[in-house]
């Protein structure tokens, strides 16, 4: 992915925000390097699971395809990271090869096909995530207003 109008320290801060409690510190940059005036980056997971045998559990933010854990950050991680970065740097823009477009603050998350014609699967369904950063913020705001 490529980001423009953001600095390395802002990218790291956005990652810290989503890692704080939502992903339990399990997300990291696989790459984060300058490409001209832009930054190229890849998000990944520190570990796909913890525990052993029947007690083994998939850690948050891990992609799953055909029932197998993949050492890749899931669709929700990317969406949460985009939202956190846009909160810090409103004029940032992110290009994803998966969607082929530049994402900006306020754009809805773009879902895309990761399965096959025989086994269709949307990126948003290829993990065990049930909630995301945006949902957590909405619920927290409602709780603070006494609506929950």
């Amino acid at each position: 992915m490529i980001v423009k109008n953001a600095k390395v320290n802002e990218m790291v801060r956005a990652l810290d925000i989503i890692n704080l409690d939502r992903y339990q510190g399990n997300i990291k940059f696989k790459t984060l390097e300058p490409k001209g005036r832009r930054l190229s980056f890849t998000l990944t997971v520190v570990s796909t699971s913890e525990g052993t045998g029947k007690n083994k559990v998939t850690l948050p933010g891990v992609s799953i395809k055909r029932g197998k854990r993949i050492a890749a950050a899931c669709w929700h991680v990317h969406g949460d990271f985009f939202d956190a970065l846009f909160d810090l740097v409103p004029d940032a823009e992110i290009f994803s090869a998966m969607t082929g477009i530049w994402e900006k603050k306020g754009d809805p998350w773009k879902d895309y096909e990761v399965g096959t014609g025989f086994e269709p699967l949307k990126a948003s369904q290829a993990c065990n995530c049930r909630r995301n950063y945006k949902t957590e913020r909405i619920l927290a705001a409602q709780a603070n207003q006494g609506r929950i």
Side-chain angles (χ1 to χ4, degrees):
M1 295 188 181
I2 307 233
V3 64
K4 59 184 178 180
N5 304 327
K7 298 174 184 163
V8 170
N9 65 324
E10 294 164 333
M11 298 281 286
V12 170
R13 178 70 186 121
L15 186 66
D16 289 345
I17 289 169
I18 68 165
N19 254 332
L20 187 58
D21 54 10
R22 173 71 183 124
Y23 296 105
Q24 302 169 0
N26 196 41
I27 310 303
K28 68 177 184 175
F29 288 109
K30 184 175 185 178
T31 61
L32 177 58
E33 55 196 28
K35 295 282 184 186
R37 295 184 326 183
R38 300 172 179 174
L39 296 171
S40 173
F41 71 99
T42 305
L43 296 173
T44 191
V45 294
V46 174
S47 180
T48 60
S49 63
E50 68 181 3
T52 58
K54 291 182 180 179
N55 294 327
K56 190 176 238 183
V57 295
T58 301
L59 290 171
V62 175
S63 290
I64 301 171
K65 194 168 183 183
R66 294 189 184 130
K68 297 186 179 189
R69 294 177 199 93
I70 302 169
C74 74
W75 180 82
H76 298 95
V77 167
H78 286 85
D80 287 340
F81 177 79
F82 291 6
D83 285 347
L85 183 62
F86 294 145
D87 284 349
L88 293 171
V89 188
D91 62 335
E93 294 182 38
I94 302 170
F95 179 80
S96 167
M98 296 304 287
T99 60
I101 60 172
W102 284 94
E103 306 276 348
K104 298 177 184 151
K105 183 175 177 77
D107 287 349
W109 293 10
K110 311 293 186 294
D111 207 352
Y112 52 90
E113 189 65 41
V114 295
T116 66
F118 295 109
E119 295 179 39
L121 180 68
K122 291 288 190 184
S124 61
Q125 300 167 323
C127 65
N128 288 337
C129 294
R130 298 292 178 258
R131 296 167 78 173
N132 57 52
Y133 174 72
K134 187 177 282 187
T135 304
E136 297 293 340
R137 287 187 304 168
I138 291 168
L139 291 172
Q142 289 174 345
N144 288 340
Q145 295 171 358
R147 293 182 7 203
I148 293 181

